[in-house]
Amino acid sequence: MAGSAIKPTPLLKDELDIVIPTIRNLDFLEMWRPFFEQYHLIIVQDGDPSKTIKVPDGFDYELYNRNDINRILGPKASCISFKDSACRCFGYMVSKKKYIYTIDDDCFVAKNPSGEQINALEQHIKNLLSPSTPYFFNTLYDPYREGADFVRGYPFSLREGATTAVSHGLWLNIPDYDAPTQLVKPLERNKRYVDAVLTVPKGTLFPMCGMNLAFNRELIGPAMYFGLMGDGQPIGRYDDMWAGWCMKVICDHMGWGVKTGLPYIWHSKASNPFVNLKKEYSGIYWQEDLIPFFQAAVLPKECVTVQQCYIELAKQVKEKLGKVDPYFIKLADAMVTWIEAWDELNSSEEKSLKQPNGTAK
Amino acid sequence: MAGSAIKPTPLLKDELDIVIPTIRNLDFLEMWRPFFEQYHLIIVQDGDPSKTIKVPDGFDYELYNRNDINRILGPKASCISFKDSACRCFGYMVSKKKYIYTIDDDCFVAKNPSGEQINALEQHIKNLLSPSTPYFFNTLYDPYREGADFVRGYPFSLREGATTAVSHGLWLNIPDYDAPTQLVKPLERNKRYVDAVLTVPKGTLFPMCGMNLAFNRELIGPAMYFGLMGDGQPIGRYDDMWAGWCMKVICDHMGWGVKTGLPYIWHSKASNPFVNLKKEYSGIYWQEDLIPFFQAAVLPKECVTVQQCYIELAKQVKEKLGKVDPYFIKLADAMVTWIEAWDELNSSEEKSLKQPNGTAK
């Protein structure tokens, strides 16, 4: 036994996949080794499929490039974005695990105020495994956390909470700003460690960022579609936002909770604000119509599965946002294709279809 | 000039009153001297009026006991609770300032993680003077704070924010738990300093605690009625909760924001959980009906002043909660009396009525 260290089994080791969209070698994984090494990775290559992505030794992964996506989905591959990190949602679709953690390849391990490295994944898992409180705000934040509870005036009938579907983590260093804010405040860094996890209340929308995000795939997976972005599309950098708004409307309808706050990751580099401005331009403009649309969206009580909710939402997108721009008609169709592809891959007979590149330990 | 230190004028010195309900000598003010000394205090004595309350030297204050309340309000004094800190709202009524800060006499100056004393009042004022964001959740919390901003995906049309009506501060050490939680967790202390201020979203209710609370009296004062509690009433410890629910429904209707989070005070002693259990019993039970009532409450668009909103809410309380218990019929009447008294004291000719005990610098 000399020289061999026995590592403790991390939480949900066999029930969670880590999904990483990338266009480059995954050297960033070195820093995450102590936290990710025992989990399975799904890497989705978002650019030129002829390029080889190097993954550090010792990681257990499967990798999909555009050719794989086309082969696996056939004509339905049209719903998966190309040359944009929005393609990460393909990884959600091919995963067979109950939980997903997705992280960008420019995100590193952050430190808490005591200087300790933050195990982001462990915190996400804690967030997902404990209930949410979407119906009433608890002023001491997460009541299920050690050292906290529900405060005076919190109805007892609501203290059981709701099942948590999504855990949205934050970023130290480079904040997730849009291009105009990046341009105006190029030097702003997020240095504030806010030691809290809280539930985004029912009926409230928030900007969901895909950089550091975990969710219960079994519950909400089919709503985590990152839309049509990047190559051939008039918009970028709204993939995670789109997913977040759709997902939130559906979680509110289904009675599930969405948390935001801890854990932090260290976001290392700001993307180019000029490039971003071009990608975001239409999104910034359309957003003014999107938010009222999602705020007003109501799903009929006949929608009892996420798939049904999502198809209904696609119908409403086509009907109401199609007037804003024809892009939303195309997007609504892609939303339907996404659900068809999801159901196809997630039925019992689909397994033989998948033959990714990768290694298995 | 030798020996005299010139103190800088604190924020809103002549536009803010500090309201303190008490039954004892106000020695706790010694610790607050550097922060409160230049402000005017309104002390509301909530017990036996024959008892003398000692106020440390050097504070500028007016003090009202039950006899003063009866003399000033006449028969309308019935709306002000006796032998309960709910009487503090009388102080809001007699104030002539734009802003109110109210604090309990068992609350002391807390320290931030760097060990510095927290100027709670200054933080409340910052919260009140900067806008709120009730329509969309910002994941980096207060976007108006230094070092923060709106994140990607936050609609630009909403970045101007809403006027802030209320700033709800928190407590280190003894958390504000109800009697059952106090009994179950007698040793729990709040040690977590969460460095955030956030807006309670539109449509979301929260448990507002009156221990450490500031508000814009000119905007929302008439909705800050602390109800009928204490002597002769079947309920206690729901005064601030009641005010918070009424206030929130009205702020949502009027388009104003409510913040919670920083600043912390140090809450020194837990009240007796057995006594609290008796006071709270009915509240804990009724609360299960109150929350759905307030969640569903809609104010007609004809209500354009806080007074109109409040009278309308009183009508709905009588109609819907009167069925839960006759207490709510009495409370609804008291809500109307409160507004009548408020308008009487806050019209132009009322000033001669007020002759409190106290000192003026």
Side-chain angles (χ1 to χ4, degrees):
Chain A
M1 294 295 282
S4 86
I6 295 169
K7 290 172 193 164
T9 304
L11 287 167
L12 302 181
K13 176 188 172 315
D14 297 318
E15 293 180 76
L16 182 142
D17 281 336
I18 299 174
V19 173
I20 304 163
T22 192
I23 49 168
R24 58 192 143 212
N25 296 333
L26 292 177
D27 304 325
F28 92 111
L29 284 173
E30 281 304 344
M31 196 181 187
W32 288 103
R33 191 179 286 278
F35 307 115
F36 290 176
E37 202 176 20
Q38 294 192 63
Y39 291 92
H40 181 69
L41 312 181
I42 298 178
I43 298 158
V44 189
Q45 188 172 343
D46 78 7
D48 178 6
S50 67
K51 199 182 153 188
T52 303
I53 301 285
K54 279 188 202 150
V55 181
D57 285 346
F59 285 94
D60 168 40
Y61 71 95
E62 51 193 299
L63 185 150
Y64 299 90
N65 64 28
R66 189 70 207 180
N67 296 335
D68 301 313
I69 296 172
N70 290 341
R71 178 176 47 79
I72 292 168
L73 293 185
K76 295 196 181 74
S78 63
C79 73
I80 303 295
S81 300
F82 184 40
K83 293 192 179 165
D84 192 286
S85 68
C87 69
R88 74 174 83 207
C89 63
F90 179 76
Y92 313 157
M93 194 183 254
V94 293
S95 167
K96 287 294 157 287
K97 305 285 175 62
K98 186 170 178 185
Y99 299 96
I100 296 285
Y101 175 51
T102 185
I103 183 171
D104 279 7
D105 62 7
D106 63 346
C107 292
F108 294 89
V109 179
K111 288 181 177 170
N112 68 19
S114 312
E116 297 149 352
Q117 290 206 322
I118 298 166
N119 184 343
L121 182 48
E122 185 181 62
Q123 177 68 50
H124 276 297
I125 291 170
K126 284 182 187 172
N127 294 348
L128 289 171
L129 295 184
S130 64
S132 296
T133 54
Y135 303 113
F136 199 82
F137 188 88
N138 193 49
T139 51
L140 288 184
Y141 311 101
D142 183 358
Y144 306 105
R145 193 170 171 186
E146 207 181 299
D149 211 310
F150 292 97
V151 300
R152 182 172 55 93
Y154 204 102
F156 278 82
S157 62
L158 294 178
R159 295 191 186 196
E160 213 178 290
T163 303
T164 304
V166 175
S167 167
H168 177 259
L170 301 175
W171 343 276
L172 289 172
N173 195 37
I174 307 285
D176 186 31
Y177 287 164
D178 47 61
T181 308
Q182 277 185 295
L183 287 165
V184 171
K185 293 180 157 182
L187 300 179
E188 191 151 290
R189 297 293 177 265
N190 186 21
K191 294 172 186 168
R192 182 172 296 124
Y193 182 92
V194 175
D195 188 11
V197 177
L198 52 99
T199 299
V200 184
K202 186 181 178 189
T204 300
L205 295 174
F206 76 109
M208 185 180 83
C209 170
M211 262 196 281
N212 171 27
L213 179 72
F215 58 92
N216 183 325
R217 179 185 170 281
E218 216 169 85
L219 276 186
I220 197 67
M224 280 290 186
Y225 175 46
F226 273 46
L228 294 175
M229 305 280 147
D231 205 44
Q233 307 301 339
I235 180 174
R237 284 172 57 85
Y238 272 83
D239 51 342
D240 42 6
M241 298 299 143
W242 183 260
W245 298 326
C246 293
M247 168 284 287
K248 188 59 170 53
V249 166
I250 293 174
C251 283
D252 284 351
H253 175 77
M254 299 294 282
W256 299 327
V258 175
K259 292 181 185 177
T260 182
L262 302 182
Y264 286 94
I265 51 79
W266 180 265
H267 186 205
S268 66
K269 66 169 186 36
S271 43
N272 184 319
F274 299 99
V275 173
N276 290 349
L277 190 61
K278 195 177 169 190
K279 289 183 183 174
E280 286 173 14
Y281 168 74
S282 299
I284 287 174
Y285 181 64
W286 290 337
Q287 177 173 270
E288 301 295 335
D289 289 306
L290 301 184
I291 299 308
F293 165 77
F294 283 108
Q295 282 175 336
V298 176
L299 299 170
K301 65 176 190 309
E302 289 71 34
C303 294
V304 294
T305 68
V306 172
Q307 277 91 333
Q308 288 167 351
C309 291
Y310 204 74
I311 295 288
E312 167 64 26
L313 203 52
K315 206 181 89 190
Q316 296 183 19
V317 165
K318 185 175 252 179
E319 207 175 284
K320 297 192 177 147
L321 295 178
K323 293 172 201 155
V324 173
D325 194 276
Y327 166 73
F328 291 100
I329 296 172
K330 197 166 61 167
L331 178 56
D333 290 337
M335 290 168 75
V336 173
T337 305
W338 159 264
I339 292 294
E340 289 167 358
W342 182 282
D343 285 345
E344 207 172 285
L345 282 190
N346 287 278
S347 65
S348 47
E349 69 266 34
E350 101 320 326
K351 292 198 175 166
S352 59
L353 278 173
K354 290 202 302 163
Q355 284 175 0
N357 307 312
T359 67
K361 264 186 195 168
Chain B
M1 295 295 283
S4 83
I6 296 168
K7 291 172 190 163
T9 304
L11 286 168
L12 301 181
K13 175 188 173 314
D14 297 318
E15 293 180 75
L16 182 142
D17 282 336
I18 299 174
V19 173
I20 304 164
T22 192
I23 49 167
R24 57 193 144 212
N25 295 333
L26 293 177
D27 304 326
F28 92 110
L29 284 173
E30 281 303 345
M31 197 182 186
W32 288 103
R33 191 179 286 279
F35 307 115
F36 290 176
E37 203 177 19
Q38 295 192 63
Y39 290 93
H40 181 70
L41 312 181
I42 298 178
I43 298 158
V44 189
Q45 187 173 344
D46 77 8
D48 178 5
S50 67
K51 199 181 153 189
T52 304
I53 301 286
K54 278 188 203 150
V55 181
D57 285 345
F59 284 95
D60 169 40
Y61 72 95
E62 51 193 300
L63 185 151
Y64 298 90
N65 64 28
R66 190 69 206 180
N67 297 335
D68 300 314
I69 296 172
N70 289 342
R71 178 175 47 79
I72 292 169
L73 293 184
K76 296 195 179 77
S78 62
C79 73
I80 303 296
S81 299
F82 183 40
K83 294 193 180 165
D84 192 286
S85 69
C87 68
R88 75 174 83 207
C89 63
F90 179 76
Y92 313 157
M93 195 183 254
V94 293
S95 166
K96 288 293 157 287
K97 305 285 175 62
K98 186 170 177 183
Y99 299 96
I100 295 285
Y101 175 51
T102 185
I103 182 170
D104 279 6
D105 62 6
D106 63 346
C107 293
F108 294 89
V109 179
K111 287 180 176 172
N112 68 19
S114 313
E116 297 149 352
Q117 290 206 321
I118 298 166
N119 184 342
L121 183 48
E122 184 180 64
Q123 178 68 48
H124 275 298
I125 291 170
K126 284 181 186 171
N127 293 349
L128 289 171
L129 295 183
S130 64
S132 295
T133 54
Y135 303 112
F136 199 82
F137 187 87
N138 194 49
T139 50
L140 288 184
Y141 311 100
D142 182 359
Y144 305 106
R145 192 171 171 186
E146 207 181 301
D149 211 312
F150 293 96
V151 299
R152 180 171 57 93
Y154 204 102
F156 278 82
S157 63
L158 294 178
R159 296 192 185 195
E160 212 178 291
T163 303
T164 304
V166 175
S167 167
H168 177 259
L170 301 174
W171 344 275
L172 290 172
N173 195 39
I174 307 285
D176 186 32
Y177 287 164
D178 47 61
T181 309
Q182 277 185 296
L183 287 165
V184 171
K185 293 180 157 182
L187 300 179
E188 191 151 290
R189 298 293 176 265
N190 186 21
K191 293 172 186 168
R192 184 172 294 124
Y193 183 93
V194 175
D195 189 11
V197 177
L198 52 99
T199 299
V200 183
K202 187 181 177 190
T204 299
L205 293 175
F206 77 109
M208 184 181 83
C209 170
M211 263 196 282
N212 172 27
L213 179 71
F215 58 92
N216 183 325
R217 179 186 170 279
E218 215 170 86
L219 277 186
I220 198 67
M224 280 290 187
Y225 175 47
F226 272 45
L228 293 176
M229 305 280 147
D231 205 42
Q233 307 299 340
I235 181 175
R237 284 172 57 85
Y238 272 83
D239 51 341
D240 41 6
M241 298 299 144
W242 183 260
W245 297 327
C246 293
M247 168 285 287
K248 187 59 169 52
V249 167
I250 294 174
C251 282
D252 284 352
H253 175 78
M254 299 294 282
W256 299 326
V258 175
K259 292 182 184 175
T260 183
L262 301 182
Y264 286 95
I265 53 79
W266 180 265
H267 186 205
S268 66
K269 64 168 189 35
S271 43
N272 184 319
F274 299 98
V275 173
N276 289 348
L277 190 60
K278 196 178 167 190
K279 288 184 184 175
E280 287 173 13
Y281 168 74
S282 299
I284 286 174
Y285 181 64
W286 290 337
Q287 178 172 269
E288 301 295 337
D289 289 306
L290 300 185
I291 299 308
F293 165 77
F294 282 108
Q295 283 176 335
V298 176
L299 300 170
K301 66 176 189 310
E302 288 71 32
C303 295
V304 294
T305 68
V306 172
Q307 276 90 334
Q308 288 166 352
C309 292
Y310 204 74
I311 294 287
E312 167 65 26
L313 203 52
K315 205 180 92 193
Q316 297 183 18
V317 165
K318 184 174 253 179
E319 207 174 283
K320 299 192 176 144
L321 296 178
K323 292 172 202 154
V324 173
D325 194 275
Y327 167 72
F328 291 100
I329 297 173
K330 196 166 63 166
L331 178 55
D333 289 336
M335 289 168 76
V336 174
T337 305
W338 158 265
I339 292 294
E340 289 168 358
W342 181 282
D343 284 345
E344 207 172 285
L345 283 189
N346 288 278
S347 65
S348 46
E349 69 266 35
E350 102 318 327
K351 291 197 176 166
S352 57
L353 278 172
K354 290 202 302 163
Q355 284 175 1
N357 307 314
T359 65
K361 264 186 193 169

